[in-house]
Amino acid sequence: MDKKIIDFLLEAKKKTYAGKGAETSSSRPASHDLVYSDGDLMYYDTYLGGDKFAGEEALWISDVPYWSMNYVGRVTGQNFSGDFLKEALSNVPFEKPFRGPEKFQNGEYEYTCSVDGDFEWFQGKEIITLRGQQIYECYFHGGMIK
């Protein structure tokens, strides 16, 4: 992994959805789009839906696609907290810069994330539980683009 690329990706995630960043113009009808750039690096997160959603995060270097991750998820129980999800996602680890950390807890909410693979080719799942009951799930996969 290129440290500069991963550092940029982590910063971009924290400045957009996880950091409650402002949305940009929709790229498609009813899409939510967030963009972050620094020099020749650009990150784009676009998703559809709310309680049931699907989206893609992508990274470009000098306008050339470099990396992408698709995700699909849903709220499965009551008292889901989008703020808790964003808090977990803002703690994305350098070693696995995909979604959130392996485990994160705040009060009665717990976030877990499991990943198979590495930056070049990966798949994973994240879950949020409240008092031990699952209330959210999201599957994701992606990797390098060549």
Side-chain angles (χ1 to χ4, degrees), residues 54-126:
E56 177 184 53
E57 296 178 28
L59 189 148
W60 286 258
I61 302 174
S62 299
D63 296 328
V64 176
Y66 181 76
W67 179 88
S68 179
M69 175 178 68
N70 296 102
Y71 55 88
V72 61
R74 63 186 180 152
V75 173
T76 60
Q78 295 187 357
N79 298 314
F80 169 76
S81 169
D83 287 340
F84 174 75
L85 173 60
K86 289 175 182 179
E87 185 180 2
L89 296 178
S90 70
N91 285 282
V92 58
F94 182 91
E95 300 77 25
K96 294 184 179 181
F98 315 117
R99 296 290 288 173
E102 195 172 307
K103 290 192 182 281
F104 181 80
Q105 189 166 358
N106 187 345
E108 296 180 311
Y109 287 94
E110 183 174 39
Y111 170 96
T112 57
C113 183
S114 59
V115 180
D116 292 320
D118 58 26
F119 190 72
E120 290 191 22
W121 188 259
F122 62 90
Q123 60 185 358
K125 180 180 182 180
E126 65 185 8

Side-chain angles (χ1 to χ4, degrees), residues 5-19 21-22 24 33-47 55-64 66-69 71 89 92 97-99 119:
I5 300 296
I6 303 303
D7 285 343
F8 169 79
L9 183 58
L10 298 179
E11 182 71 13
K13 289 173 175 279
K14 293 173 185 176
K15 296 279 185 174
T16 55
Y17 181 80
T24 188
D33 295 55
L34 301 105
V35 178
Y36 179 78
S37 61
D38 184 9
D40 65 343
L41 301 174
M42 184 182 78
Y43 166 87
Y44 201 105
D45 182 8
T46 180
Y47 67 96
E56 177 184 53
E57 296 178 28
L59 189 148
W60 286 258
I61 302 174
S62 299
D63 296 328
V64 176
Y66 181 76
W67 179 88
S68 179
M69 175 178 68
Y71 55 88
L89 296 178
V92 58
F98 315 117
R99 296 290 288 173
F119 190 72

